[in-house]
Every structure is written in structure tokens, then in C-alpha cells.
Amino acid sequence: MFMEKSKVYFTDFRTRVGVSLTEKLQRLIKKAGITDIDMDGKFVAIKMHFGELGNLSYLRPNYAKAVADVVKECGGKPFLTDCNTLYPGSRKNALEHLDCANINGFNTITTGCQIIIGDGLRGTDDITVPVRNGEYCKEAYIGRAVMDADIFISLTHFKGHESTGFGGAIKNIGMGCGSRAGKMQQHNSGKPIVHDDLCRGCRRCAKECGSDAITYENGKAVINQDICKGCGRCIGACVFDAIENQNWNANEILGRKMAEYSQAVCDGRPTFHISLVRDISPNCDCHGENDAPILPDVGIFASFDPVALDQACVDACLHATPMPNSQLSDNLADPHWHHHHDNFLDSNPNVRWKETLEHAEKIGLGTSDYSLVIAPVVADLCTTPVALSAPPNSYQNNSQS
């Protein structure tokens, strides 16, 4: 259990002539202590999202190479990894997943390391891992290659999410490292229903459905509860608010299960976590498209503590000014909109995110009490944006140092 404040290191995206952003990233993670990990001769998994085909908001492969190069400097053997999806997109099996990664720019040349799909060809190559202090999941089904690594690093695109509020380190680790069985276990807390009076029969939900569970009767969507996996993509797809979770706390339980899966992945071995808060799309990079960013780019955060890291990132986003011509600004401009005074809830009002961090802290994954460190090694390259100033009503009383 974390007893003291965790340090979260920060730099923004400003650079001066002659210094690249990837070099700045490397300086930051070194200052944050990544080189203190004994990597000599050890396998190092770098978990990231390669982006669905058609999506352009995922992290560029250049960032992955920057991290992999630091690992190699320390004598480690890095590889990039992600697990297959539960829904039928372009990453549902290892062959298509690797093709997708390659098309999106991830290969051995651009990243400087190999790419291994963590749960194998069909998403079934997993290992059962006990969850320390688990309340919802006593065991987690994690991709075998992820668990075979000696050291685990998460490299996260911090963004919005239609179910969990935001997609940060815990989402990247917990959901991303789960095999298909693991993703199913996390998603099975609740299944959506359709309100006939609001359904327009546009069929967008059926296109997003990960299990072909949606049909149409009399021009209205019908969800087969026996087939539905409970992934919630249809909720995010419906622009008429005709679909909702019949289990009111399903997203809350989903977030807590993600925290427990993250605990299974990280427990008992060295870990390090990096989040880039940029291109903050309202939905996950699993979508085959990306809407305009809801918030301006903030910067790069790094920490040994994934909970503190997510808390620092979300604090920065909560106090940022919404971008014009975005889903968030459109909602806030609606005279009938119920203002949540929370940029993630005002972008996707059905989400839950605080419970994820609270549960992660409860089970000992980390602490939401952090100190934000503007790393001296990059002080000449970074400024503290207004978004990072602590407001009177912040979720946690965090300090900068």
C-alpha cells in the first residue's frame, strides 16, 4: 500500500530548436527514474494501443521507439504488446492485429523492437493470475506474453472514453492486457437496452456492435441479451440517447474490475508508466474514427504509480478549457444541457471514472495523492500550463513541487 505521495513527473509539448519531442520524452522518463530499474538482459513489455484502422488519434510509433531505445540503453530486451479485441474490428486476431499495427506505422524499423500480440493468434493464449485484494475478480485472465515479461511499462494515450470516462494507464493496462476471456469478465456487469421511443432506426449501433447482437423489428433496434457481451460500444454510438445500461452501476463495476486487472498485471514485478495527454478524443482509439479533440494538448506525464499518474492527468483535463467545435463544447452550448462541471461527464454523461481510481487505491495499486514534479532536466523546455493549476474544488488536494 502506498503511504506517501507519489511523484508524477511532467513536461509539456513545447520544444526549442534542436531538441526533438522524443528526446524530451526520454529526458523526462529518465528523470522520473526509469533507468533505476534493473533491465539488464531482461524482457521488457511496453504495452500500448496501435489504433484501430481509420483512427488517427493513437500515439505515433516515434514515441514507442523513444521508450524502447531507453530500455535498450539499460540492457533490456523491449517488445511492444497489446491483446486482441473482444469486438470484431481490425485487431480481433493476431494476424489482422499485426497488419493493423503495420498499416498504422508500427513495425521493427519505426519502433526499434519486435511486436508481440499478448494473447496469441485467437486471443486465447492467456494465463490465470491471482488478483491481490480483488473484490470482483479473484483471478484475471491476462495475455501470456504480457505476464512472461520481467518488466512492464505502460505507454498510454490519455483520452476520453464512452464507458469509463477517460482512457488512461489503468484502462490501458487492465482492459488492454486482458485476453478475450479477460475482457469478457470485465464487461459482463451489465448489458444495454433500447428505448423504442427514442430509437430512430439509424443502425449505427448495429455497425458498432461487437457481437452481432442487434437486430431491427419495426424499424427499432433490439438487443439480444443472450448474445450481447456488454461492451457498451452501442451506447457510445447512439447519438439519440436511445440505448442505456440497464444495470445503473455497470460502468462503475467495469472501472473497478479494470483496476483489479491492472493489479494482476503489475503486482510482483518492476513497472513504469507514461501517459501522453494529447489528441484528447471523446472516445476510445478502438473506434474506426476519431472525433475532434475535446480539450487542448496538455503534456507528458510519467510515474512508477499508475493511480497517481491517472489522477494527475485527469486533474489537468478537468481544469482545461473545452475546445470549440467539439463534442464537449457542443454539449455545453445546449441550453437544455445538465452541466456536470466535469469535462469527461459533460462529453459522455453516462460514464463513471472516480470509482476506478478509488478502487485502485483501495486494493493497493497506488495512491491518488501525488506531487507534480516539473523535472529540472527539462525545465528549460517546459512551462506549467494553466490546466495544471490546482483549483479550489479539485478531486484531490494535490500539490506541485
Side-chain angles (χ1 to χ4, degrees), residues 312-351:
C313 293
V314 76
D315 282 347
C317 289
L318 290 180
H319 310 133
T321 302
M323 292 286 283
N325 191 30
S326 68
Q327 176 173 295
L328 175 57
S329 63
D330 286 351
N331 288 345
L332 293 175
D334 183 346
H336 303 294
W337 186 257
H338 172 70
H339 287 250
H340 298 273
H341 304 288
D342 178 316
N343 285 332
F344 293 114
L345 283 174
D346 280 319
S347 178
N348 284 303
N350 297 317
V351 302

Side-chain angles (χ1 to χ4, degrees), residues 31-89:
K31 186 63 182 179
I34 193 171
T35 55
D36 294 338
I37 301 173
D38 178 12
M39 302 186 193
D40 192 26
K42 297 178 180 178
F43 292 115
V44 181
I46 303 174
K47 168 63 181 74
M48 70 178 303
H49 195 302
F50 304 124
E52 191 72 19
L53 289 181
N55 188 294
L56 296 176
S57 66
Y58 59 88
L59 295 181
R60 294 182 177 93
N62 310 65
Y63 297 118
K65 187 176 190 303
V67 177
D69 285 349
V70 171
V71 170
K72 288 190 286 187
E73 287 177 19
C74 296
K77 300 178 180 180
F79 64 95
L80 299 185
T81 190
D82 196 5
C83 289
N84 292 304
T85 59
L86 188 61
Y87 61 87

